[in-house]
Amino acid sequence: MMVGMTTAPGPVPVAQQGPRHPLDPEPTTSTKARAVFALGLIGALTGIFVGGVVPSTIALLLARQARREAYASGGFLTGGDWLRRGERLAWTGLVLAAVAVVATVVIGVVRLADAPFGRDYAPNVD
């Protein structure tokens, strides 16, 4: 369970940034943000083949975790740009997969409609 502070609503006062405490960690890019980007890219590249659904879904779930961790770190985890790009690519992969499925269904229905129904007898058979 995470215990946090609550603040009063309204604008946040701008305080002067003093020297950093020596025990403060160095700001670093979140490894999950890079993973989200990589999975989103894979999802976008393979989305048209419907294989992009899995990496895109994992990327979106991982992005949610990475945002929570970045918020909890108080600014020491960076990588928001990587997250945004990865999420966009993941959504692109999901949309491409959906388009591929719809196109396949439409093509299948049209081909089924053109196919003869039942047996096709010779013209001299009653």
Side-chain angles (χ1 to χ4, degrees):
M1 183 169 96
M2 187 184 339
V3 178
M5 296 183 352
T6 58
T7 58
V12 177
V14 178
Q16 290 290 348
Q17 294 290 332
R20 288 185 39 202
H21 191 274
L23 297 178
D24 281 347
E26 290 294 320
T28 184
T29 304
S30 171
T31 55
K32 283 187 180 180
R34 291 180 183 162
V36 166
F37 179 77
L39 287 168
L41 183 62
I42 292 169
L45 293 176
T46 60
I48 197 74
F49 305 114
V50 188
V53 171
V54 173
S56 294
T57 305
I58 293 171
L60 292 174
L61 293 173
L62 200 59
R64 188 173 170 189
Q65 292 176 0
R67 285 197 191 285
R68 275 195 228 126
E69 289 177 4
Y71 180 77
S73 73
F76 291 108
L77 276 179
T78 61
D81 291 338
W82 289 99
L83 278 175
R84 280 188 294 280
R85 289 183 195 129
E87 284 177 318
R88 285 184 191 139
L89 287 170
W91 281 112
T92 301
L94 288 175
V95 167
L96 286 173
V99 167
V101 167
V102 168
T104 303
V105 168
V106 168
I107 290 170
V109 168
V110 168
R111 285 191 178 177
L112 184 63
D114 286 343
F117 183 72
R119 294 187 182 216
D120 190 21
Y121 293 104
N124 60 353
V125 176
D126 284 337

